[in-house]
Amino acid sequence: MPGNSIIRHQNASLLSIKKVEADVVVASETADQKLADTFNRLKLPTGLLERLAGVREFRVWSEGRHYTDAAVEAAQAAMEEAGVTPDQVGLLVNCSVTRDGYEPALSVSEHARLGLPTSTLNFDITNACLGFVNGLTVASTMIDAGAVDYAVVLAGEDPTPWHREAFERLQQPDVTRADVIREFATLTLGCGAAAAVVGKADAHPEGHRIRTSVTRSATEHHGLCIGGFDGMFTDASGLLKHGVGLLTTTWEEARTQGFEWDDFDWVIAHQVSTSHTDKTENDIGIPPHKLPRTFPFWGNVAAAALPMTLAQQAEGAFQPGHRVLAMGVGSGLNATFMEIDW
């Protein structure tokens, strides 16, 4: 039966959230330069990344800088801002899409570098671009249950291996327009990292209460975006239609269950492209001024995209009393909306 899963959090607060932007800025025209022969042969216009996706530039890590280095840096900054020391952390959850291998979990090296105690639970959650919001839900639920006092959720992303392989494939002389479209989304990806600290609301009245998590799946569309060590391949039109469709049905079902979300001050959505964001605003009825866009200068930073945007807005746009809705979605398809009282 169709419907939403609802978790009402009782005592969880977001104490801090921090981002780390990658070091090197890459203009979207780089794709035009690398694929000039292919675009000319297929009579494709230049400027596709900005024209179709709205991505003017994205960022990559400097030579020798690993994405987990940035995730740890973000976590250290978040812990410092929250006033939480390593010995107080009971849970560490890594939520990156990016990984170097199947095992061990990325959380183990991050646990070691953060100097967390042996009693700190640590594991990875992988759920495409929705992973970070899932991590916040798990952390909030464990805090509600009294299992831990503090949790750190983090993610670092590095799609540059996918970039290299996509360019190599798309430079081949037998590449078709369909091939370009199938790998186009890969070229919109960017690097970045984010981390958050979640703690007990009753111990931190200055924190930002995490009220509710509302989740819905549409797993019949699990084949629309497939990512592996050899690259990411998407059905762009299907992903746009059914991804935004899932957000819309989640929103509409929640309204029938007593949620009044029209009065949110901010909607922090997963950052994909102009077409995805425009359709989300139009189909749900979100005023554009409530939904900030970061994909034009970061690209799609996978699981780090939403928390990086949340962290940016937390640097000055959010004010006490604002109601914030984190709107996450990931290929598969899954969506989670999370209410945060700022």
Side-chain angles (χ1 to χ4, degrees), residues 35-97:
L35 299 176
D37 291 343
T38 298
F39 284 3
N40 288 334
R41 178 172 58 82
L42 297 177
K43 296 181 172 56
L44 290 169
T46 58
L48 281 181
L49 281 179
E50 184 167 1
R51 188 191 309 250
L52 295 183
V55 177
R56 298 192 302 268
E57 62 190 33
F58 56 91
R59 284 157 173 72
V60 300
W61 303 115
S62 57
E63 188 70 27
R65 185 156 165 76
H66 198 264
Y67 58 93
T68 57
D69 298 335
V72 167
E73 181 182 328
Q76 290 169 331
M79 290 168 62
E80 181 178 353
E81 182 172 285
V84 173
T85 56
D87 61 290
Q88 295 177 295
V89 178
L91 173 67
L92 176 74
V93 186
N94 177 83
C95 306
S96 303
V97 172

Side-chain angles (χ1 to χ4, degrees), residues 208 263-266 316-324 340-342:
H208 315 296
D263 62 344
F264 271 88
D265 297 284
W266 299 95
F318 295 161
Q319 299 299 319
H322 279 178
R323 299 182 69 216
V324 178
I340 305 172
D341 288 348
W342 215 261

Side-chain angles (χ1 to χ4, degrees), residues 114-125:
L114 287 168
L116 302 182
T118 58
S119 57
T120 302
L121 300 171
N122 72 93
F123 50 80
D124 290 1
I125 287 179

Side-chain angles (χ1 to χ4, degrees), residues 26 34 128:
V26 180
K34 292 186 176 182

